[in-house]
Amino acid sequence: MTDVRLPLPARQAGDFPRDRRIVKTDEFSSVFRLRPVHRTEHFVLYARRNSLAQARLGVVAAKRLAPRAVTRNTIKRATRELFRQAELPAVDCIVRLSRPVNGRRDPARSAALKAMLHAELRQLFAFLPNAPAFARK
């Protein structure tokens, strides 16, 4: 049996490269130590300047606040999508789910839920470039 390796596909528009993510525990901790920058009904945004050329993102969606994996993945997907579209200064951002978005009996994913998530996340990312500590110089 031969091992046939296919070439990896080119980076797609929806790709979220590792260098744009906060992945290490100590990186998360260093941002969480700071006071939240902005809050919405369901989310809290933490941020701090970084010394990199681009902004990085971490997403925390706890199982007790979004019991179904489908809902947590929808939250993460929407957050990454809007983060990619936002023009942000060089900061490390963590978006944390702070209140339940739906219960076990509610649909795991619906158009209304997606619309609510997009509205709140847009509000968070729109606030960040204008925040006094992160305004571009």
Side-chain angles (χ1 to χ4, degrees):
M1 187 165 188
T2 60
D3 184 13
V4 177
R5 298 200 180 211
L6 299 174
L8 294 173
R11 195 170 263 174
Q12 298 174 4
D15 192 20
F16 196 65
R18 190 171 176 88
D19 64 341
R20 300 285 314 268
R21 300 180 197 170
I22 299 174
V23 290
K24 295 182 182 173
T25 303
D26 61 328
E27 294 171 342
F28 270 93
S29 297
S30 69
V31 179
F32 271 135
R33 266 186 287 220
L34 303 174
R35 194 175 296 150
V37 174
H38 193 63
R39 295 176 189 269
T40 63
E41 185 179 349
H42 295 98
F43 295 100
V44 177
L45 174 67
Y46 297 85
R48 76 174 177 94
R49 285 192 180 280
N50 69 30
S51 58
L52 305 171
Q54 75 272 346
R56 296 188 307 166
L57 175 68
V59 183
V60 179
K63 190 183 277 190
R64 74 180 170 84
L65 299 175
R68 287 188 247 162
V70 172
T71 306
R72 291 191 303 277
N73 290 337
T74 300
I75 291 167
K76 293 174 190 177
R77 217 173 280 122
T79 305
R80 288 191 300 260
E81 176 187 336
L82 292 170
F83 180 81
R84 273 193 299 270
Q85 295 170 2
E87 303 238 348
L88 299 175
V91 295
D92 287 344
C93 303
I94 295 179
V95 175
R96 181 176 63 86
L97 183 64
S98 62
R99 292 184 59 206
V101 291
N102 63 0
R104 289 188 189 272
R105 297 187 189 275
D106 298 330
R109 198 170 75 174
S110 67
L113 176 64
K114 284 185 181 180
M116 181 272 300
L117 292 173
H118 277 259
E120 285 193 39
L121 292 167
R122 266 192 213 98
Q123 184 182 350
L124 284 179
F125 292 131
F127 176 82
L128 192 56
N130 301 321
F134 302 110
R136 292 186 180 175
K137 294 182 180 182

